[in-house]
Amino acid sequence: MVTSKPAHKQTYRVEGFTCAGCAAKFEKNVQHLEGVVDAKVNFGAAKITVYGDTSKESVEKAGAFEGLRLTEDGLRKVQEEKEPFHRKHKHLFLSMFFILLAYSLPLTGWGNSEFYSNLSFAVAIVTGGYRLFEAGFKNLIKLEFDMRTLMTIAIIGAAFIGEWGEGAIVVILFAISEVLEAYSMDKARESIRSLMDIAPPQALIIRNGSEMMVDAEEIEIGDIMLVKPGQKIAMDGDIIEGSSYVNQAAITGESVPVEKVQGDAVFAGTLNEEGYLKVLVTKRIEDTTLAKIIHLVEEAQGEKAPSQAFVDMFAKYYTPIIMVVAFLVAVIPPLLLDGDWSTWVYQGLSVLVVGCPCALVISTPVAIVTAIGNAAKNGILIKGGVYLEELGRLKAIAFDKTGTLTKGEPEVTDMIPLANIEENQLWKWMSALEFHSQHPLAHAFINEAEERNIDYRSYEVFEFQSHTGKGISGLIEGERYYLGSESLFHVSYAEIKELQREGKTVMLFGTADTPLALVAVADEVRETSQEVISHLHEMGIEHTVMLTGDHENTARSIGNRVGVKETKAGLLPEEKLSFVKGYMNTYGKVAMIGDGINDAPALAASNVGIAMGGAGTDTALETADIALMNDDLKKLPYIIRLSRRTLTVIKQNISFAIGIKLLALLLVIPGMLTLWIAIFADMGATLLVTLNGLRLLKIRDGK
């Protein structure tokens, strides 16, 4: 069997994109390079990934039509000396000078000033539009009709019929619109680029017994990192000495610093506020939680949302249609209605200019890039535009119970002795048994024993057994003790029913034939759960349901406390999956919120799978469509609101981009459409949809 070797992959950051159409052309050019198997441009993140064997110089040459520059992809922003604006766009200022000169020449009273004015306009056209013409002529030869092709035809046509002044103005306004579009997209991307600066480039580490400053890229797993008060943490790791309060806002969106002690994990990019910490590095720079967030968000910005896919498909047919309309406007009135050729060719050229799809093409990506970046800075990872849009259309939300609506940290609430045995002795036996168990409830017993200062480790447990779905047992001092549900003992107590009605999990402890104690454990409900559920109902979410594997009485009690409309208890993972599918048939768009592991089937099947606590949890980051980096349900109404605003902005942008074109085209009927109006309509639409998209940066959590 012959296996093909995977193609070499190289990613570059791209500087110089002015529009989405140019990004698509760059991608196509690179795909046709010798040795390239495939190439994908991520316009939102300004990156290109090349599969195959080719040099950086060859890839850069494929973007020469746009003057693109490439840098190696990395987790640090490349600090290049930026060219001053006036030098970078000197062709723009030179073109403006010649336009002003052309308009001022007739005022001088020189003979033949019209000739010199037109000559000056011609120079303005060449200086301001040489890059436009270079790409436009190449496209024209290949019969590729993008906006540069349309503009090239329109400007040459204007010069051909003697409208040199308007041709020059079209060139300068088009150049200005490209500069503004590039600036606006850079502004949208900046929310993610700023994440690259969060983690410090160097750290103080102990290596071979000596302290030294080391670049973050050179730090290895196992190094000991020293972090002083007020310093940022450079790498992910575990605290091995010291304690402090750490501000994790950059990763989780939490505004309140979190207490960290020995054994706790810390993340790169977080701020050590008080103590002196020694941290054992557990991940290399490319594997840190911050690095994963940056990578996943940039990938998400490259994923096309449904509305963007629609726009791309529309634009594909829109441009040729505009070409046909412009041709018909130019020739039908002179041929059939005895119109003036010069007038109607001019009108046709104006149709070409107003028909440029710039505003339409950028209407969606600027909104998606801005919204995903905004969410990331608030501690929410959205894996693509499709999930961002789906959030805004949700009709029902299914919640897992443990760790989502509750804290996932069970506590012992009641202990009722059933025999004349000292309570501390009962705790010694129970804790010794639970010390050998992996069940989540075991922590409740161990924590309670430690709070009571009970020495449970002094007891040895032999022949430990786990009775699936029932409990555990083991030999202590020659006697077999059992701890678990009623089914282990085949008895019933009135107190059990009463405690279960309160939402508690009840267990019995004793020997094979004699129950000795009754213990109730409860998972504390998050303080914010009821508030969040209520807020979701106010926002118009039709149905909320809690899906849990817990006991019916416990589930009903917690469901009533948090205010969900429906509770389903005693469910296995496959049954949760069936319920989610059923809700999708009933309500349409459904989200599932869980921990990203136990609820994986239901998370995958739902329209949007949301994982709690993505920070430091690889499974949540990789499997969920959306990860709430901090275990904070209050982020849920915020991202739904952000999604709805994004959908509104996208609809506004598409409607405005198409509407302004149609209004301008209607001016053709009375013959009033001019190149000036056409270029202002195109430039104005592009600028307005971009600024409208950037409004999403202002949406904040809690507002």
Side-chain angles (χ1 to χ4, degrees), residues 77 129 167 254 329 362 544 581 587 592 682 692:
K77 281 206 286 189
E254 295 169 279
V329 166
I362 204 174
T544 52
K581 287 183 175 178
Y587 296 101
M592 173 71 193
D682 179 62
N692 195 34

Side-chain angles (χ1 to χ4, degrees), residues 227-231 243-246 257 271-277:
V227 189
K228 298 174 184 177
Q231 288 186 336
S243 63
S244 181
Y245 280 88
V246 176
L271 177 67
N272 175 26
E273 295 205 337
E274 293 180 3
Y276 183 84
L277 300 177

